[in-house]
Amino acid sequence: MKNWKSKVLLVLLISSIGLNVFLIGNWFLYKKPSIPTAEEKVILSEMVIKTIDSEDYKSLAETENIISIDTTVDKFKGGVFPFYLNVAVKTDKQTYLFSCTDKKCSNVTNEGWTYSIYEDENPRLPLKEK
């Protein structure tokens, strides 16, 4: 009877340690690199202004309905600072990704695009009670 309890406790201990190692590793390897630091937040907010002032954004605003602007950090795409910082301009058709053109980030340009949730869904504002 005593041997059975110790085996169960050992299995629970090993499972607990394994789960904690997995969760901490997941946070450090996958979630932490996509969370901007305080300095990166300031730079991203300045990049939003540069995005709005860019020619790519102005031509986009003429042809599509811009719904929102968001900032992202994508350290998984490779490259060095500041090339992993992005400004996402979401329209009703696509999401356009703007990033720095040089190391000083003197200009930003449209470097790509991706799917927009607003292609299938309506904007969230005005907010509706659930």
Side-chain angles (χ1 to χ4, degrees), residues 14-77:
I14 291 172
S15 299
S16 175
I17 291 171
L19 181 63
N20 283 312
V21 167
F22 171 77
L23 291 175
I24 291 170
N26 184 37
W27 186 78
F28 271 109
L29 294 176
Y30 295 107
K31 295 193 176 165
K32 187 177 180 188
S34 62
I35 299 172
T37 63
E39 181 182 349
E40 289 171 340
K41 285 181 183 180
V42 172
I43 293 168
L44 284 166
S45 63
E46 292 176 9
M47 284 177 64
V48 170
I49 299 299
K50 288 186 180 283
T51 298
I52 293 171
D53 291 339
S54 73
E55 291 300 319
D56 288 342
Y57 179 86
K58 290 175 183 174
S59 64
L60 179 65
E62 292 175 0
T63 59
E64 294 188 33
N65 181 24
I66 295 175
I67 296 173
S68 69
I69 298 175
D70 195 12
T71 57
T72 62
V73 176
D74 188 7
K75 293 180 183 174
F76 294 114
K77 79 176 187 178

